[in-house]
């Protein structure tokens, strides 16, 4: 969602800010704006639509030279995505400019109060109240950081706020509550941003901003306090990837690049997690073996693609550890009065580490006494910070809104957690664990093999580009793969797509099958539980008998499916539980090609945001 950049230093602020916004485009937005402090005044520009619209406006009417500025890409919540509602929002005198991510829940009351006092508003946003409030505090003698603290104490809801003032040319002030914000520490320059990708081309040194904190940056200093002005400890960290990792590297889309990076991402996520005896060692987990032995139930919470990884985790955890495992959409979890106590291990999966639904669910779980283990791809993000333990995936930056390599690494992390629980609790023999770990280590090579054979899948997407609906079926771990295939197609190709547990077909969804409808079927290994394989072969026949065009994802040498498949996509032989790591890849490639053929923006689909920071 909204992207935020602030800068103070010796470079042209506008260049730094616009470049930062470009790197944050992947978060999803519908308008953009900037403001700089120059010659005792503010200059700003904002436009609905893509960053290119703003750049054109800046080309037509350049802003003055300045080394202090801020910029914003807005994902509309309050008020339509128009020029008028784009950020920054200035106060009536034009002395304060504010950008905001999140929702100010009590804005209506504050707006009414300000309007009663004679303030005229120029937008429909919740944000604008902050500009007017900050201006009045500064006019009454507060410095900008003090003003920010006073205003924040009056606000309800979630927000990152960043402000500059015309009378204070050398500093940018920001505040954070339940919404992402990091500081980039440069040499004679400092940055503020929603995430490190905005400033990674300038510095890899970063500073976390905690909940309920206000930060003031100048070219040579950073001051951090809580909302009452008390100093707080700084937590610095080094970002272990560089600007090139966040670029397209010759691919047409980030999604294509990220699909191609999956073998490496999976290998990196396994790296360093197995000792020389083949035992898993997840030291960074910060949960003791005794705590893990105490666990009597696991609940996985996550959203979207991460939720699908969580569904696979359930199969692995229950099979390898015999501990009951529930999987819950994070947005539903805290509203159903779940049974959670000190012996519950909650696993919160989030690529971004900032998803508000997941964050709120994990806070609820901790309040009930549960221990929370985060699986995240983003160092320093809120969800790992607020969890008792963390297992980082090593996918590197994922820019395309449609998650691919982060998903595969989430699957790997789920397998590692399940195996580790089994190892600690003694439900798996050492040699069994070692065997699975060896099979996991083979998966990058197998994903590579799948990637090398994807041209027929792309061709199929081209043939099916006029389809009005696509169905996906799976059983066991193939069911979440089917859901993931459908989600990918919906989010980037804007096609009606549904994933079903194949056994549920006859209970309703089979009514959707009509002649020619493409149906993908994820077939488990025939070498696993044969009943599972046989049942799904019957399901393929059922849809084919009704005229469906069947596209079967099956293991090499699985001949039983051949008579019923209009198209076969072969995946390498691997254990049933690990099959999602290869079976989901053709579905990602299919969706990516479909979106491209249909002429849509593959990396930044409409209405979607990469980091969903509102509930
Ligand atoms: C994935 O393709 C989606 N864009 C989306 O479902 C995503 O997985 C979900 O919003 C959760 O995000 P997170 O992993 O950052 O928490």
């Amino acid at each position: 969602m909204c992207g935020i950049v602030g800068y103070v230093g010796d470079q042209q602020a506008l260049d730094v800010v616009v470049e930062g916004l470009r790197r944050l485009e992947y978060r999803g937005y519908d308008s953009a704006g900037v403001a700089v402090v120059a010659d005792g005044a503010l200059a700003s520009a904002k436009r609905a639509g893509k960053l290119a619209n703003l750049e054109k406006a800046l080309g037509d009417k350049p802003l003055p030279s300045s080394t202090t500025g801020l910029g914003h890409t807005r994902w509309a919540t309050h008020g339509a995505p128009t020029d008028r509602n784009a950020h920054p929002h200035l106060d009536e005198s034009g002395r304060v400019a504010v950008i905001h991510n999140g929702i100010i829940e009590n804005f209506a009351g504050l707006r009414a109060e300000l309007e009663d006092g004679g303030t005229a508003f120029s937008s429909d946003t919740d944000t604008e109240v902050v500009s007017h409030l900050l201006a009045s505090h500064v006019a009454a003698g507060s410095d900008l950081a003090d003003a920010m603290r006073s205003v924040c104490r009056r606000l309800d809801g979630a927000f990152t706020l960043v402000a500059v003032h015309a009378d204070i040319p050398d500093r940018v002030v920001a505040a954070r509550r339940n919404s992402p914000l990091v500081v980039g520490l440069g040499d004679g320059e400092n940055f503020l941003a929603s995430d490190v990708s905005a400033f990674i081309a300038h510095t890899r040194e970063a500073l976390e901003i905690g909940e309920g904190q206000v930060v003031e940056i100048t070219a040579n200093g950073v001051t951090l306090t809580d909302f009452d002005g008390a100093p707080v400890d700084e937590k610095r960290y080094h970002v272990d990837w560089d600007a090139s990792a966040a670029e397209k590297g010759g691919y047409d889309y980030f999604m294509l690049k990220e699909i191609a990076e999956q073998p490496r991402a999976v290998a990196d996520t396994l790296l360093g997690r197995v000792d020389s005896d083949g035992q898993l060692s997840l030291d960074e987990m910060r949960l003791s073996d005794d705590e893990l032995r105490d666990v009597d139930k696991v609940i996985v919470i996550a959203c979207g693609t991460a939720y699908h990884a969580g569904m696979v985790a359930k199969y692995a955890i229950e099979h390898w550890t015999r501990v009951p495992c529930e999987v819950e959409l994070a947005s539903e979890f805290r509203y159903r009065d779940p049974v959670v106590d000190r012996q519950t291990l909650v696993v919160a999966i989030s690529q971004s580490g900032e998803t508000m639904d997941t964050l709120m669910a994990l806070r609820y779980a901790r309040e009930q006494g549960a221990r929370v283990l985060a699986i995240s791809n983003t160092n320093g993000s809120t969800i790992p910070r607020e969890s008792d333990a963390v297992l980082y995936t090593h996918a590197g930056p994922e820019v395309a809104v449609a998650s691919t390599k982060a998903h595969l690494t989430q699957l790997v992390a789920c397998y590692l957690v399940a195996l580790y629980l089994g190892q600690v609790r003694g439900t798996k023999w050492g040699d069994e664990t070692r065997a699975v770990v060896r099979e996991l280590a083979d998966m990058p090579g197998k994903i590579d093999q799948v990637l090398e054979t994807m041209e027929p899948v792309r061709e199929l997407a081209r043939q099916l580009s006029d389809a009005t609906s696509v169905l996906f079926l799976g059983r066991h771990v193939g069911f979440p793969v089917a859901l993931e295939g459908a989600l990918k197609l919906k989010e980037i190709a804007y096609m009606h797509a549904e994933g079903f547990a194949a056994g549920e077909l006859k209970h309703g969804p089979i009514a959707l099958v009509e002649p020619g409808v493409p149906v993908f079927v994820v077939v488990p290994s025939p070498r696993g539980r044969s009943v599972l394989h046989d049942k799904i072969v019957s399901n393929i026949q059922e849809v084919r008998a009704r005229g469906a065009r069947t596209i079967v994802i099956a293991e090499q040498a699985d001949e039983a499916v051949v008579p019923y498949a209009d198209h076969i996509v072969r995946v390498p032989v691997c254990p049933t539980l690990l099959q999602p790591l290869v079976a989901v890849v053709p579905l990602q490639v299919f969706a990516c090609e479909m979106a491209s053929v249909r002429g849509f923006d593959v990396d930044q689909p409409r209405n979607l945001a990469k980091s969903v920071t509102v509930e």
Side-chain angles (χ1 to χ4, degrees), residues 455-468 470 495 516 518 549-551 566-567 590 593-594 597-598:
E455 187 44 38
V457 173
R458 282 189 282 271
E459 173 53 29
L460 192 60
R462 295 191 280 269
Q463 284 174 24
L464 296 176
S465 63
D466 290 333
T468 49
V470 182
M495 289 177 93
R549 182 164 174 176
T550 54
I551 306 142
D566 293 306
H567 308 269
F590 181 78
E593 184 68 15
M594 186 64 93
V597 172
R598 286 163 65 94

Side-chain angles (χ1 to χ4, degrees), residues 303-306 349-352 355 401-403 410 487-488 491 612:
C303 305
T305 287
I349 309 175
S350 174
Q351 182 282 132
S352 61
T355 300
V401 166
S403 185
Q410 286 164 348
L487 177 64
K488 282 285 147 304
E491 67 177 335
V612 184

Side-chain angles (χ1 to χ4, degrees), residues 301 333 346 348 357-367 372 374 382-384 386-387:
I301 49 173
F333 178 69
V346 168
D357 290 316
T358 311
L359 178 62
M360 290 303 172
L362 93 77
R363 284 184 183 163
Y364 178 84
R366 292 195 77 200
E367 277 162 27
V372 178
T382 310
I383 288 172
E386 293 203 13
S387 298

Side-chain angles (χ1 to χ4, degrees), residues 252-266:
D252 287 344
Y253 315 110
F254 278 107
M255 186 177 178
L256 277 178
K257 173 179 174 244
E258 288 160 5
I259 288 172
E261 285 173 343
Q262 294 186 112
R264 165 67 28 220
V266 166

Side-chain angles (χ1 to χ4, degrees), residues 221-421:
V222 176
T223 312
L224 206 53
T225 70
D226 64 19
F227 284 177
D228 293 319
V232 291
D233 290 340
E234 289 185 359
K235 269 200 192 155
R236 291 175 183 235
Y237 63 100
H238 177 75
V239 182
D240 57 10
W241 47 271
D242 61 16
S244 64
E247 314 217 314
K248 280 191 203 152
Y251 289 87
D252 287 344
Y253 315 110
F254 278 107
M255 186 177 178
L256 277 178
K257 173 179 174 244
E258 288 160 5
I259 288 172
E261 285 173 343
Q262 294 186 112
R264 165 67 28 220
V266 166
D268 285 353
T269 300
L270 288 168
L271 213 63
R273 275 146 179 179
V274 186
D275 66 20
S276 50
D277 301 332
Q279 291 274 302
L280 286 171
S281 81
L282 304 181
D283 298 340
E284 70 216 84
M285 278 231 321
R286 302 194 306 254
L287 282 177
S288 70
D289 289 358
D290 281 343
E291 285 172 311
L292 291 176
R293 277 189 281 269
D294 268 356
V295 168
D296 66 4
K297 177 166 69 172
V298 178
I299 303 180
V300 183
I301 49 173
C303 305
T305 287
Y307 172 75
H308 299 152
M311 288 176 74
V312 175
K314 174 180 167 70
Y315 291 93
I317 289 171
E318 292 192 339
H319 183 65
W320 288 334
T321 73
R322 311 310 298 152
V323 178
C325 178
E326 298 168 18
V327 196
E328 178 107 27
L329 289 168
S331 54
E332 289 293 314
F333 178 69
R334 66 185 171 130
Y335 303 108
R336 68 160 173 100
D337 193 16
V339 181
V340 178
D341 60 25
R342 285 193 56 71
Q343 284 168 290
T344 310
L345 176 67
V346 168
V347 179
I349 309 175
S350 174
Q351 182 282 132
S352 61
E354 299 291 354
T355 300
M356 187 58 76
D357 290 316
T358 311
L359 178 62
M360 290 303 172
L362 93 77
R363 284 184 183 163
Y364 178 84
R366 292 195 77 200
E367 277 162 27
Q368 308 303 307
R371 292 188 179 84
V372 178
L373 163 66
I375 292 177
S376 180
N377 195 41
T378 311
N379 208 310
S381 59
T382 310
I383 288 172
R385 282 216 323 269
E386 293 203 13
S387 298
D388 299 287
V390 59
L391 191 63
Y392 281 111
T393 53
H394 297 306
E398 188 178 70
V399 176
V401 166
S403 185
T404 54
K405 62 175 179 170
H407 177 59
L408 257 62
T409 59
Q410 286 164 348
L411 290 171
V412 171
C414 289
Y415 295 133
L416 291 174
V417 169
L419 286 171
Y420 191 65
L421 269 175

